[in-house]
Amino acid sequence: RVLFRSLEEFRRGTHPKLADTDGDGVPDGGEILMGSNPLVADLAAMPSQWRGVRLHLRADAGVTLDASGAVTTWKDQSARNGMATASSTTRAPRVQSDSAGRAWVQFDGFDDWLALPNFMAGASAGDIFAVVQQAAGPAGESRTLWNLGSAPTLYPHSSGGVFEAFGTASARLGPSPLFDQMQPHLYEVMAKASGWTSRINGQVYLSQITNTVAFSSAPSLGYSGGSNFGRALAGGIAEIICFDRELTA
């Protein structure tokens, strides 16, 4: 839905390796869904559509590093002005750039993590989008992407699939995705009382027609702190945006 295929990117003139071509803080796919121009920075012209944003983290904005290059804080770019914070510089991710110049907040695959404020407090629904890239690592090991629901999200699970609990009291495990997870990709999870769906690059990965909505009151990115949930994500996050509603056309 939000991440275009290369042909669509070419046709629309958007950058195939940038989630937000015009740099106005609204992802290209979100602009298309709302009928605005992804090539023109026009956030001020669409406040009514761009509502319900609870969290917006971009690796190229609002990141503070210490002298060693470790992330100390990662500022929320939404109007809520929250902050992801590191508890220790020895367990903090780093910022790296890929060959296209895109910035990534890179987790070490071991124990890197960032604490988040309780940004989904009071929400009855949620829709989260993340631009993610996994690094090479040993097969058969679980890696925690985030803890935003009733349990940490294992991305991947030791089985090779994705174990997801965002916005649900019942975590769900899917099969191994049929794509190269070491390439940048878009991961989405939508949760509401009348349904729950996860998507990878716009394609439905898992779906349920009923759901008991649940969000973590102590959310985090990366290592969950529990051995049952493996180590931290081995890879990077370029951007996360989370709404307190389902994003629809």
Side-chain angles (χ1 to χ4, degrees):
R1 297 187 337 167
V2 175
L3 188 69
F4 305 123
R5 293 192 175 98
S6 296
L7 181 59
E8 292 173 317
E9 294 273 12
F10 177 79
R11 180 169 60 86
R12 297 183 185 275
T14 52
H15 196 297
K17 293 187 177 181
L18 294 179
D20 179 18
T21 299
D22 58 22
D24 62 2
V26 184
D28 295 342
E31 296 218 36
I32 296 302
L33 285 173
M34 293 183 290
S36 59
N37 189 342
L39 304 179
V40 177
D42 52 3
L43 178 60
M46 52 181 175
S48 62
Q49 297 105 321
W50 196 239
R51 70 184 194 279
V53 178
R54 291 293 187 104
L55 181 74
H56 189 187
L57 299 174
R58 293 172 48 179
D60 61 354
V63 181
T64 302
L65 308 176
D66 71 0
S68 71
V71 174
T72 57
T73 59
W74 192 1
K75 188 178 184 300
D76 178 10
Q77 301 299 301
S78 79
R80 300 175 69 88
N81 294 314
M83 194 87 71
T85 58
S87 63
S88 165
T89 56
T90 62
R91 298 180 60 188
R94 309 263 167 161
V95 175
Q96 297 180 4
S97 295
D98 60 22
S99 59
R102 172 183 283 283
W104 297 85
V105 172
Q106 198 78 13
F107 293 77
D108 67 356
F110 182 60
D111 62 356
D112 285 355
W113 74 289
L114 295 170
L116 291 167
N118 188 12
F119 66 94
M120 291 300 285
S124 59
D127 204 345
I128 189 167
F129 300 82
V131 180
V132 186
Q133 183 176 25
Q134 295 182 16
E141 290 191 2
S142 294
R143 306 284 179 168
T144 300
L145 173 60
W146 54 46
N147 183 8
L148 304 179
S150 58
T153 291
L154 304 182
Y155 200 90
H157 181 269
S158 58
S159 66
V162 176
F163 179 84
E164 182 58 73
F166 172 82
T168 183
S170 302
R172 297 169 174 102
L173 175 62
S176 297
L178 299 176
F179 77 104
D180 184 358
Q181 298 175 59
M182 293 177 64
Q183 295 298 315
H185 57 278
L186 185 84
Y187 181 56
E188 177 200 356
V189 189
M190 185 285 298
K192 58 183 180 179
S194 57
W196 184 97
T197 302
S198 63
R199 294 179 175 86
I200 299 175
N201 287 345
Q203 303 300 307
V204 172
Y205 175 65
L206 290 175
S207 186
Q208 292 282 122
I209 60 173
T210 60
N211 181 49
T212 299
V213 177
F215 295 105
S216 174
S217 60
S220 60
L221 300 175
Y223 184 58
S224 67
S227 59
N228 290 339
F229 297 105
R231 303 188 186 279
L233 170 72
I237 299 172
E239 187 168 7
I240 295 175
I241 187 164
C242 185
F243 296 81
D244 60 12
R245 62 186 178 91
E246 180 183 9
L247 192 65
T248 58

